[in-house]
Amino acid sequence: QSVLTQPPSASGTPGQRVTISCSGSSSNIGSNPVNWYQQLPGTAPKLLIYSNNQRPSGVPDRFSGSKSGTSASLAISGLQSEDEADYYCAAWDDSLNSYVFGTGTRVTVL
Amino acid sequence: EVPLVESGGGLVQPGGSLRLSCVASELTFSSYWMSWVRQAPGKGLEWVANIKQDGSEKYYVDSVKGRFTISRDNAKNSLYLQMNSLRAEDTAVYYCVRQIGGPSSYWGQGTLVTVSS
């Protein structure tokens, strides 16, 4: 059972802005950086956002991350069809001494 | 060239053992924390274990403690996961991950482990 909670699904039309929430606690999001991953259908995940709001090289600036207290968010602006994927948040948990993933959110482009 | 290539997956009976390997093509392998992450069929991601650059620190998810061992050989640019006392719930695709939360993060293509009689 994941300690980071995400909505199971989100959707939008092309060009819209979609946001995904990630709720945790003081032992994970509240005290450690949050990372976000994108998993396209049938492929391995890849890092989308690290350290709350940093984009690795090659990730479009349509993707942005933020954190406040024990929650984090991923925003996708200018939604495109190729953004249809599963998205996971993650952070280190100091109480569990483990890296924990969120429950995952499937984004659908209508 | 693919930065990370996993191997060693397959079908194993409950209670059996399997050793996964991950070979890095880049000489900077020794500079990074490395992790194993798994994904059961149709399910989400689950972190399994990670290991510091020099192997001096290792961490595991509770469900595999005492059964799985992560190790690395920097001279061979290789990461390993020794899995013993395997259970049906260990069935998953196992990914080798370089720097799970940093600018040089990279995930291998995964290797499937199936635990079934």
Side-chain angles (χ1 to χ4, degrees), chain A residues 3 27-28 92-98 100, chain B residues 47 60 62 65:
Chain A
V3 298
S27 63
N28 41 68
W92 185 259
D93 190 295
D94 293 333
S95 295
L96 299 174
N97 245 1
S98 296
V100 291
Chain B
W47 172 84
Y60 300 90
D62 282 349
K65 284 179 182 175

Side-chain angles (χ1 to χ4, degrees), chain A residues 18-70:
Chain A
V18 170
T19 60
I20 300 169
S21 61
C22 175
S23 178
S25 67
S26 58
S27 63
N28 41 68
I29 293 178
S31 49
N32 292 295
V34 176
N35 305 312
W36 289 89
Y37 303 87
Q38 178 193 58
Q39 186 173 30
L40 297 170
T43 70
K46 77 165 191 177
L47 183 68
L48 201 62
I49 297 287
Y50 69 97
S51 294
N52 305 325
N53 54 19
Q54 302 298 302
R55 283 185 306 276
S57 175
V59 174
D61 59 7
R62 302 185 292 104
F63 295 93
S64 61
S66 63
K67 186 178 96 167
S68 179
T70 58

Side-chain angles (χ1 to χ4, degrees), chain B residues 23-24 26-27 29-30 53 72-80:
Chain B
V23 178
E26 297 174 341
L27 298 180
F29 173 79
S30 61
Q53 289 90 331
R72 65 191 296 165
D73 185 337
N74 288 339
K76 295 182 178 179
N77 283 356
S78 294
L79 176 72
Y80 306 102

